[in-house]
Amino acid sequence: MKPVGSQLHRVIDGDTVEATIPGYGRERIRLSSIDAPERNQPYGNQSTQCLRELLRQGSLSVKPKKTDKYGRLVADLYVGDDRVDVAMVERGCAWWYSRYAPASVVLAKAHYTAKFEKRGLWAGSNPIKPEQWRRR
């Protein structure tokens, strides 16, 4: 499915937005291939701000994939031709969610490069994966 132009309403956190998508209406959208720090987690606010900044750089397009158990639309987001999930991982603003995108070479490279170069959340002494944080 080709990405469709959409209107952004708000950024909820580093991996979730609310937007209007033609053919779907107003939806809460979860980025499909990343996991960002929770708002109450170290680097959570910075991750949310990183996503806001990326989405200001051009027009938003959404490529829907499925609906998750929370009723959110899971999708790939694009600003122009650029994938937002890759940009978030490259900047160290989110983890590559390897469980949901295990074959993504571009996300794996972005993840390990950001980690090696200590970008964003990787500059911290002991970053904790959001899924581990949520289990606490």
Side-chain angles (χ1 to χ4, degrees), residues 28-130:
R28 188 168 278 212
I29 304 165
R30 172 72 163 81
L31 277 80
S32 67
S33 303
I34 65 172
D35 200 12
E38 299 296 325
R39 280 184 264 165
N40 64 344
Q41 182 178 353
Y43 210 79
N45 291 331
Q46 295 93 325
S47 177
T48 301
Q49 186 58 34
C50 186
L51 183 55
R52 275 191 192 102
E53 290 169 9
L54 284 167
L55 295 176
R56 285 186 192 126
Q57 295 179 6
S59 59
L60 175 67
S61 296
V62 178
K63 183 178 179 184
K65 291 187 166 192
K66 65 179 186 172
T67 301
D68 70 9
K69 64 184 179 181
Y70 304 107
R72 299 174 299 188
L73 185 65
V74 177
D76 290 332
L77 301 184
Y78 295 82
V79 172
D81 293 330
D82 297 326
R83 282 179 44 188
V84 174
D85 58 345
V86 174
M88 288 289 287
V89 173
E90 284 174 341
R91 287 168 171 78
C93 296
W95 272 260
W96 161 44
Y97 220 159
S98 58
R99 180 175 6 154
Y100 295 109
S104 179
V105 174
V106 69
L107 281 167
K109 181 180 176 188
H111 178 89
Y112 290 112
T113 300
K115 187 174 180 179
F116 178 77
E117 294 179 358
K118 298 192 181 303
R119 296 182 196 155
L121 63 91
W122 299 109
S125 61
N126 186 27
I128 299 169
K129 286 184 175 182

